[in-house]
């Protein structure tokens, strides 16, 4: 059963005028069987769409007609025949079959509806993801996610970045704290890495100059929210001889490029989801942390003091404010208090209470955090200590700063948050094939 026997065309690739009398073979799932007595329609679905197979009882072999009538929905078939134009059929053609191969029969009833007529709960869909993916809207999300990652790779490669990979099993917490999953590594304790941060920086000392990584990050966050996963996909960059403003430009340009590419290459998927995308306008608005606090406090409600982190409610207030001012959803918050940014964020030389850390926000949530990093080893040690961490645990990292570390900057942006804000999806689990959250460890 080679591909040559089972499929010559995807359903969306058939144009009867071009093909003429040449035989075509499509392969996929039985989406629908409509048996009207004298005529039977079988709709076959593949990743690209649908193709209609039409059998007229009087004109076709009896055995073939009976095979078609008895097909169970969601069974896998391969159909060979001649394509004819048919305006009322999906993709504008119908196939008059010579042969229908039943490759795998589906059991019935199905664990969930695939026609989109009954809206299943997210949990039901995730429990039977293989069936959920047979829905057009679900496939559309993952087509777009593919397009997002492809665009990211192209953009960063064209901007001189090397794709790298860092270990996910590590001995030290990136930022300390409790949000780590401990694991057993032979007879030692180890952790699943919460971020490639420390490794990206070591690569700057190695002279790789500009690197990116697309990989999993693990966060043992206890909370069960619509925008947190315990295993997420992070798009990370690090660039030498750059400050925070340089990498902010790379970030906003990348986001705009990703939107453009999705519009250009995934229009059918956007349409299936009913999403009309606008490319965000660059440069994104830059708000200082002080401005952000003022926006929140001027609205009344819970007052923020200088040095407080911005909670979800504050982020929404600021996002709405920016949207009203600019009509745009994306913006930066810069000049954060050093104390609430990670130890590796560079303080401003003339005002060390402020750091060169930034967040890139969407109206609805944080998308990315970044900074110019500290490249001076003594300053780094003192920042590690003042965050209550032990520099000894960071020796493998600190070593890379003592023998020629260039100034550098970088950021990490959550792939899922980028996709969900783009599509207006409100639960992050919808944009991950097999999400890991507080309750879900399978499938
Ligand atoms: P938040 O405050 O929203 O929990 P964070 O500041 O802890 O995020 P960072 O450590 O700054 O997250 O990570 C950089 C980016 O990685 C975030 O802006 C986000 O897009 C993504 N990210 C981080 N943690 C998660 C998570 N648990 N689930 C999904 N995406 C995440
Ligand atoms: Mg952050």
């Amino acid at each position: 059963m080679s591909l040559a026997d089972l499929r010559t065309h995807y359903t969306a690739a058939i144009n009867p005028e071009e093909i003429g009398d040449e035989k075509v073979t499509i392969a996929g799932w039985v989406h629908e069987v409509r048996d009207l007595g004298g005529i039977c329609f079988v709709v076959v679905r593949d990743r690209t769409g649908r193709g209609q197979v039409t059998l007229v009882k009087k004109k076709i072999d009896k055995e073939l007609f009976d095979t078609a009538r008895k097909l169970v929905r969601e069974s896998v078939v391969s159909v060979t025949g001649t394509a004819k134009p048919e305006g009322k059929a999906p993709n504008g053609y119908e196939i008059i079959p010579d042969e229908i191969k039943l490759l795998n029969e589906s059991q019935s009833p199905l664990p969930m509806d695939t026609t989109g007529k009954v809206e299943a709960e997210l949990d039901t869909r995730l429990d039977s993801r293989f069936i959920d993916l047979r829905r057009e809207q679900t496939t559309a999300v993952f087509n777009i996610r593919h397009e997002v990652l492809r665009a990211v790779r192209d953009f960063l490669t064209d901007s001189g970045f090397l794709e790298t990979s860092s270990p996910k099993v590590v001995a030290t917490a990136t930022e300390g704290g409790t949000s780590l999953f401990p694991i057993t590594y032979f007879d030692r304790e180890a952790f699943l890495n919460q971020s490639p941060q420390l490794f990206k920086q070591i690569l700057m000392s190695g002279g790789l100059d500009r690197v990116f990584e697309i990989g999993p990050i693990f966060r043992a966050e206890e909370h069960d929210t619509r925008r947190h996963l315990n295993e997420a996909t992070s798009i990370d960059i690090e660039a030498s001889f750059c400050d925070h403003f340089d990498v902010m430009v790379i970030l906003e340009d990348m986001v705009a490029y990703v939107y453009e590419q999705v519009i250009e290459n995934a229009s059918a998927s956007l349409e299936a989801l009913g999403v009309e995308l606008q490319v965000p306008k660059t440069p994104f608005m830059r708000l200082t942390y002080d401005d952000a606090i003022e926006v929140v406090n001027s609205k009344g409600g819970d007052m923020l003091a200088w040095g407080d982190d911005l909670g979800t409610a504050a982020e929404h207030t600021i996002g709405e404010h920016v949207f009203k001012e600019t009509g745009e959803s994306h913006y930066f918050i810069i000049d954060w208090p050093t104390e609430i940014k990670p130890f590796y964020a560079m303080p401003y030389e003339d005002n060390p209470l402020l750091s060169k850390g930034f967040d890139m926000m969407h109206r609805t949530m944080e998308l990315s955090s970044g900074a110019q990093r500290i490249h001076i080893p003594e300053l780094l040690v003192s920042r590690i200590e003042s965050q209550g961490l032990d520099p000894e645990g960071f020796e493998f990292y600190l070593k890379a700063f003592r023998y020629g570390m260039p100034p550098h900057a970088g950021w990490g942006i959550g792939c899922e948050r980028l996709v969900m804000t783009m599509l207006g999806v409100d639960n992050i689990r919808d944009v991950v094939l097999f999400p890991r959250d507080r309750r879900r460890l399978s499938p």
Side-chain angles (χ1 to χ4, degrees):
M1 288 204 286
S2 74
L3 180 60
D5 302 322
L6 298 179
R7 182 175 68 207
T8 59
H9 291 76
Y10 282 115
T11 56
I14 292 177
N15 178 347
E17 266 111 46
E18 267 173 29
I19 293 172
D21 288 340
E22 199 186 312
K23 298 287 174 198
V24 294
T25 307
I26 59 172
W29 287 259
V30 175
H31 185 71
E32 193 181 5
V33 180
R34 258 178 299 145
D35 179 8
L36 307 177
I39 189 163
C40 176
F41 300 105
V42 178
V43 178
V44 176
R45 188 189 67 244
D46 64 17
R47 202 182 72 186
T48 66
R50 292 171 199 172
Q52 177 178 300
V53 181
T54 304
L55 301 97
V56 178
K57 196 172 184 177
K58 279 192 200 143
K59 293 192 191 163
I60 220 151
D61 176 64
K62 184 175 179 311
E63 210 177 311
L64 187 57
F65 191 79
D66 282 343
T67 306
R69 278 179 52 214
K70 288 187 195 135
L71 287 171
V72 177
R73 264 184 60 210
E74 295 304 318
S75 298
V76 175
V77 294
S78 168
V79 180
T80 302
T82 319
K84 302 265 183 254
E86 172 51 66
K88 280 178 275 168
N91 286 310
Y93 68 85
E94 59 183 5
I95 291 178
I96 314 302
D98 301 324
E99 191 186 4
I100 298 177
K101 287 196 191 93
L102 177 59
L103 301 172
N104 191 268
E105 181 153 281
S106 172
Q107 288 185 22
S108 141
L110 297 165
M112 58 172 280
D113 175 67
T114 54
T115 60
K117 283 176 196 141
V118 190
E119 195 51 53
E121 294 283 329
L122 181 59
D123 265 329
T124 312
R125 292 172 39 214
L126 294 175
D127 285 341
S128 298
R129 197 51 138 167
F130 64 97
I131 288 278
D132 180 44
L133 282 162
R134 297 184 197 176
R135 296 163 67 239
E136 195 184 8
Q137 295 89 335
T138 310
T139 318
V141 169
F142 293 99
N143 274 336
I144 290 167
R145 185 180 159 123
H146 160 77
E147 195 53 45
V148 165
L149 288 175
R150 193 197 58 68
V152 162
R153 282 201 165 85
D154 285 355
F155 179 88
L156 292 175
T157 303
D158 289 348
S159 309
F161 287 82
L162 295 187
E163 183 161 4
T164 56
S165 305
S166 64
K168 301 306 151 207
V169 177
V170 294
T172 320
T174 306
E175 298 177 26
T178 50
S179 59
L180 285 164
F181 287 110
I183 58 166
T184 304
Y185 191 69
F186 302 106
D187 50 3
R188 279 186 285 171
E189 184 180 55
F191 303 96
L192 292 176
N193 206 3
Q194 65 193 126
S195 148
Q197 182 60 31
L198 306 186
F199 295 96
K200 286 191 302 178
Q201 290 189 262
I202 293 173
L203 298 180
M204 295 302 98
S205 178
L208 293 194
D209 195 62
R210 290 181 157 219
V211 299
F212 76 100
E213 171 166 345
I214 300 174
I217 55 170
F218 299 91
R219 309 266 168 120
E221 288 162 313
E222 299 272 333
H223 42 221
D224 194 357
T225 78
R226 287 169 172 271
R227 62 194 164 95
H228 288 93
L229 293 161
N230 293 107
E231 178 177 357
T233 306
S234 182
I235 302 162
D236 264 86
I237 74 153
E238 206 65 33
S240 288
F241 307 104
C242 284
D243 69 7
H244 51 317
F245 294 121
D246 295 322
V247 293
M248 283 162 60
V249 173
I250 296 174
L251 180 55
E252 62 195 356
D253 285 350
M254 182 185 88
V255 169
Y257 180 76
V258 165
Y259 272 69
E260 276 166 28
Q261 288 293 300
V262 168
I263 292 168
E264 198 170 313
N265 302 317
S267 56
S269 297
L270 288 172
E271 204 173 300
L273 293 168
V275 172
E276 221 174 287
L277 273 196
Q278 299 282 336
V279 179
K281 275 203 203 75
T282 57
F284 299 166
M285 189 178 190
R286 278 119 167 103
L287 224 69
T288 65
Y289 169 86
D290 285 5
D291 294 339
I293 295 277
E294 207 178 296
V295 167
V296 175
N297 288 347
S298 70
K299 303 270 180 242
D302 288 345
M303 299 297 267
L304 290 174
W306 197 88
D308 286 347
D309 211 342
L310 305 176
T312 311
E315 284 176 6
H316 283 164
T317 306
I318 303 161
E320 288 312 318
H321 167 82
V322 172
F323 189 69
K324 240 193 228 149
E325 295 267 303
T326 63
E328 292 289 316
S329 295
H330 296 82
Y331 65 100
F332 284 105
I333 303 178
I334 59 172
D335 297 353
W336 288 75
T338 303
E339 271 322 299
I340 54 172
K341 278 290 163 195
F343 65 77
Y344 46 78
M346 179 68 108
Y348 278 99
E349 290 78 4
D350 57 353
N351 181 5
L353 288 179
L354 284 190
S355 80
K356 300 188 187 182
F358 61 84
D359 277 4
M360 198 269 279
M361 311 291 297
H362 180 270
R363 181 143 68 114
T364 52
M365 71 187 82
E366 177 192 315
L367 287 185
S368 171
S369 287
Q372 181 182 331
R373 325 295 192 183
I374 296 175
H375 62 284
I376 303 155
E378 299 74 28
L379 180 56
L380 193 53
V381 170
S382 89
R383 290 295 305 136
I384 290 175
E385 281 169 342
S386 71
Q387 300 229 337
L389 299 165
D390 181 3
E392 226 163 85
F394 292 90
E395 186 46 32
F396 76 99
Y397 165 70
L398 289 169
K399 210 168 133 188
F401 288 73
R402 297 195 194 104
Y403 305 92
M405 173 64 95
H408 59 281
W411 42 253
I413 178 169
C415 167
E416 289 80 17
R417 291 196 188 173
L418 180 59
V419 175
M420 72 188 286
T421 50
M422 173 181 277
L423 301 182
V425 165
D426 68 18
N427 195 322
I428 196 165
R429 292 158 186 78
D430 265 314
V431 303
V432 186
L433 285 169
F434 301 105
R436 290 290 170 264
D437 63 24
R438 196 68 216 278
R439 292 166 299 119
R440 189 168 283 280
L441 194 53
S442 170

